[in-house]
Amino acid sequence: MSSTKSYAAQEATTPLAPWTIKRRSPKPHDVEIQILYCGVCHSDLHTARNEWRNTVYPCVPGHEIVGRVTAVGDHVKKFKAGDLAGVGCLVDSCRECDNCKEGLEQYCTNGAVGTYNGKEKDGSGITYGGYSKSIVVHEDFVLHISDKLPLEAVAPLLCAGITTYSPLRHWKIGKGHKVAVLGLGGLGHMGVKLAVSMGAEVTVLSHNTAKEEDAKRLGAAHFTLVSDIKQVIKLKGAFDLILDTVSAEHDYNFYLSLLRRDGILVCVGLPPTPAQVQVGKLVSGRRNFTGSSIGGLTETQEMLDYCAEHNIVSDVEVIAMKDINEAYERMLKGDVRYRFVIDMATL
Ligand code: NAP
Ligand code: ZN
Ligand code: ZN
């Protein structure tokens, strides 16, 4: 075991503050990583503040981790000391259920283990995430990171990237498809870049008119302010797929009506409040209301390789660890362009 500096929420209502955690010594299949950068996902905020009512305290968030391997266990084949490495939202799963066998570890029927606020399968306690100096993870859950792209801008791919890549791939989005991205935040801006790279015609639906220029720069063909009812009504029946990344309560029915027949509203945003869906909106156009969770390990590596090949990274604002609480407040106000990333050298 070794002591590692971290930042933790001790309870739902207190700001994150320095805290020391213990990391296990690498077991035969473990990789020990010095964390260089960690992205700040809205899920970190939901969890730190117990908005999903399942947080175990103290809580060390962070699941967009990139760093350098410092040590490996005797049986590790895929990594060696000095390699770049990434860790996303998962650090373990059963590996035996049908979903795990298909490489869909995020849907493990026996419960995948989250990088933070997860229960270790060996009963050793709760997992602590990337707001820390180092992490020890089984090699099966460690990703290879290209040295061609800026590391701080790669970090958000480990959650925001894969969470938007996976549904676009699952529903085979490509040329000829009209895709709307609802909410231009961390996930949303990656959704735009990825959908555009796959050939889709992308519309950004946002609450913030100040984001129009950015939407176009990111590759979107169109931008619509969702409060501009006259403009939104023109979009009725327009989209094949809407990627809903909104983190707070909103009216799903309104957006369902923007789908064409057989269109898909895929929720990746996870507001803490239950959704109210009018079944008539689904029945009338045989529309689909569905969700998608991050991505499995194979697909996450595929996404990282795809991004390296297509030169796709996140737009980031690098912050010091001590500024995390202010970053959370700014994220809540939509004041981030488009992902905060913590420079772990500042911890
Ligand atoms: P974010 O950067 O804060 O972006 C969320 C965006 O939602 C904002 O930029 C804003 O876009 C819009 N929004 C915020 N408050 C709103 C409100 N009250 N009404 C309408 N729109 C609002 O967050 P993120 O990191 O992208 O995460 C988004 C959501 O996805 C969170 O709930 C997070 O927990 C969830 N998530 C899910 C998965 C998964 O596997 N499914 C993975 C990661 C994250 P505009 O300013 O453009 O309107
Ligand atoms: Zn996340
Ligand atoms: Zn499983």
Side-chain angles (χ1 to χ4, degrees):
M1 298 280 260
S2 60
S3 293
T4 304
K5 282 190 200 172
S6 75
Y7 252 58
Q10 297 292 337
E11 46 186 303
T13 51
T14 53
L16 275 72
W19 191 52
T20 301
I21 55 173
K22 295 260 189 252
R23 294 293 193 193
R24 65 176 182 260
S25 305
K27 294 190 275 191
H29 281 284
D30 280 344
V31 177
E32 182 189 75
I33 300 163
Q34 177 201 3
I35 301 175
L36 298 174
Y37 294 101
C38 183
V40 178
C41 178
H42 207 114
S43 301
D44 300 354
L45 188 159
H46 288 308
T47 308
R49 298 186 178 178
N50 198 22
E51 292 177 352
W52 292 326
R53 305 267 158 232
N54 65 356
T55 308
V56 179
Y57 293 97
C59 170
V60 178
H63 58 204
E64 293 183 337
I65 297 167
V66 292
R68 209 168 274 286
V69 175
T70 45
V72 296
D74 291 345
H75 294 172
V76 171
K77 296 251 167 23
K78 294 196 295 195
F79 293 90
K80 58 179 187 328
D83 286 352
L84 291 174
V87 179
C89 305
L90 301 176
V91 290
D92 204 0
S93 72
C94 84
R95 298 127 199 262
E96 286 169 358
C97 71
D98 289 348
N99 291 338
C100 282
K101 281 186 186 153
E102 279 187 57
L104 297 168
E105 296 88 352
Q106 75 274 34
Y107 302 122
C108 174
T109 48
N110 295 308
V113 181
T115 302
Y116 60 81
N117 202 43
K119 229 184 236 166
E120 293 280 16
K121 291 227 175 266
D122 63 4
S124 59
I126 297 297
T127 55
Y128 297 129
Y131 296 4
S132 59
K133 283 290 214 188
S134 70
I135 191 163
V136 179
V137 179
H138 191 288
E139 63 175 326
D140 290 350
F141 288 78
V142 182
L143 287 311
H144 289 284
I145 300 289
S146 160
D147 59 5
K148 293 198 186 79
L149 301 173
L151 284 185
E152 67 278 18
V154 168
L157 302 181
L158 274 308
C159 176
I162 184 60
T163 303
T164 49
Y165 181 90
S166 185
L168 294 172
R169 281 295 189 225
H170 181 75
W171 280 286
K172 301 186 170 47
I173 290 305
K175 217 170 163 44
H177 287 130
K178 292 190 175 176
V179 169
V181 173
L182 174 58
L184 195 62
L187 265 55
H189 92 292
M190 288 312 307
V192 173
K193 289 188 188 203
L194 289 165
V196 168
S197 78
M198 292 169 191
E201 181 182 325
V202 176
T203 300
V204 167
L205 304 173
S206 170
H207 293 78
N208 188 342
T209 178
K211 293 181 180 174
E212 178 163 5
E213 210 173 291
D214 283 345
K216 302 276 171 69
R217 179 179 54 77
L218 294 166
H222 317 281
F223 176 93
T224 300
L225 195 61
V226 291
S227 53
D228 185 344
I229 299 299
K230 270 195 201 151
Q231 292 303 317
V232 183
I233 281 176
K234 288 187 196 157
L235 298 176
K236 279 197 168 189
F239 300 112
D240 297 289
L241 182 140
I242 300 176
L243 191 60
D244 182 335
T245 75
V246 173
S247 52
E249 191 171 348
H250 58 292
D251 182 8
Y252 292 95
N253 302 299
F254 180 66
Y255 299 103
L256 280 169
S257 60
L258 306 188
L259 292 173
R260 65 153 174 75
R261 193 205 71 225
D262 290 324
I264 300 150
L265 174 57
V266 53
C267 300
V268 288
L270 282 165
T273 42
Q276 301 254 349
V277 175
Q278 288 165 12
V279 175
K281 292 275 183 214
L282 305 176
V283 169
S284 58
R286 202 166 55 191
R287 299 180 176 111
N288 301 279
F289 181 64
T290 186
S292 182
S293 173
I294 45 172
L297 272 296
T298 306
E299 193 175 43
T300 304
Q301 189 63 61
E302 176 191 306
M303 176 276 309
L304 287 166
D305 297 345
Y306 176 89
C307 287
E309 193 186 324
H310 292 83
N311 206 16
I312 295 172
V313 287
S314 176
D315 289 17
V316 299
E317 178 177 339
V318 177
I319 60 166
M321 188 70 254
K322 69 175 174 45
D323 295 328
I324 187 64
N325 296 300
E326 189 194 332
Y328 278 8
E329 291 310 314
R330 284 183 54 196
M331 183 158 65
L332 278 177
K333 284 190 237 147
D335 175 24
V336 46
R337 300 292 188 276
Y338 278 88
R339 197 58 139 187
F340 291 119
V341 173
I342 306 159
D343 177 356
M344 279 308 154
T346 64
L347 174 59

